[in-house]
Amino acid sequence: MIAGYILTGGKNRRMNGNKKLFLTYKGMPFYKHIISAFQNLPIIYLSVDATDAYQKLHMPMIVDLYPDIGPIGGIYSGLIQCKETSLFVTACDMPLIGQNIVEQVCEEYQKHPQKITIVKSGERLQPLFGIYPKTVLPLLEQMITEKRYRMMDLFAQADIGVIQLENASQAMRNINTVDEYQILQGESNGTKTESF
């Protein structure tokens, strides 16, 4: 069984501390866009460093077992604590993902359910949008023990499947900074957003 798993973005320093999960796009917070894309998954978890800021969402939460080591810690914590056999991981700053690309990744994963299945946008692998099975837990544990936290180090050792997106696809667009957020808002409604 595949569960949805939203990484909530750590300290959000490049967004002046504003939690990206709650930023809006087309009048709706980012997390609702992601939930809509994940609507066919049986459950959606939030990966959090602490629960306080997210209680109002009434969603199941997985607290990082190894805080401050980046996404590898969040993915490891989810695979250890969730009962599902795999997690469809996405970053919280990707409001342009849609149900179609989620279904495409799920279909590819089902062909090889022991593999990590991620997407490639242009020449860039997208580690924070894809399915991670519990079979990678021993490798994650080894990397954390050795203090190697780069996702690309994981891909160098793990068995992965890759889906190539069309060059024009915006699905993997990350909104990481205040400037990127203002550009996104300007595209969606023709106006500038408030400055943070």
Side-chain angles (χ1 to χ4, degrees), residues 16-177:
N16 291 345
N18 292 277
K19 295 200 176 295
K20 292 182 280 186
L21 198 71
F22 299 120
L23 299 178
T24 59
Y25 172 61
K26 293 187 175 180
M28 195 162 69
F30 282 13
Y31 75 87
K32 288 193 174 181
H33 289 280
I34 296 170
I35 288 172
S36 177
F38 276 174
Q39 62 185 276
N40 288 335
L41 299 180
I43 188 169
I44 303 169
Y45 296 95
L46 293 179
S47 168
V48 302
D49 56 356
T51 61
D52 292 354
Y54 307 100
Q55 295 282 0
K56 63 184 178 182
L57 300 184
H58 303 292
M59 293 177 66
M61 290 182 276
I62 301 295
V63 179
D64 289 342
L65 298 173
Y66 294 94
D68 302 322
I69 66 170
I72 199 167
I75 294 169
Y76 172 81
S77 299
L79 290 173
I80 280 284
Q81 297 179 69
C82 295
K83 68 179 186 295
E84 290 76 19
T85 56
S86 56
L87 297 177
F88 198 134
V89 172
T90 186
C92 67
D93 58 5
M94 297 169 62
L96 302 181
I97 65 172
Q99 191 176 350
N100 287 346
I101 183 63
V102 170
E103 290 175 353
Q104 186 180 349
V105 175
C106 288
E107 287 172 8
E108 183 64 26
Y109 170 74
Q110 297 291 1
K111 298 175 186 175
H112 306 283
Q114 304 304 309
K115 288 185 177 183
I116 298 170
T117 301
I118 56 172
V119 300
K120 190 174 184 181
S121 181
E123 294 303 311
R124 183 183 170 202
L125 291 172
Q126 299 285 347
L128 302 188
F129 187 80
I131 300 176
Y132 290 76
K134 283 185 182 285
T135 52
V136 302
L137 271 171
L139 184 51
L140 291 174
E141 289 172 353
Q142 178 185 349
M143 290 178 63
I144 290 170
T145 298
E146 295 171 356
K147 294 183 168 48
R148 293 186 295 120
Y149 307 135
R150 294 180 67 250
M151 296 299 293
M152 293 306 167
D153 288 351
L154 172 64
F155 297 155
Q157 300 175 74
D159 198 6
I160 66 171
V162 178
I163 296 172
Q164 179 70 56
L165 297 184
E166 296 178 4
N167 288 337
S169 174
Q170 293 286 303
M172 297 299 102
R173 185 172 167 189
N174 292 94
I175 310 303
N176 275 317
T177 67

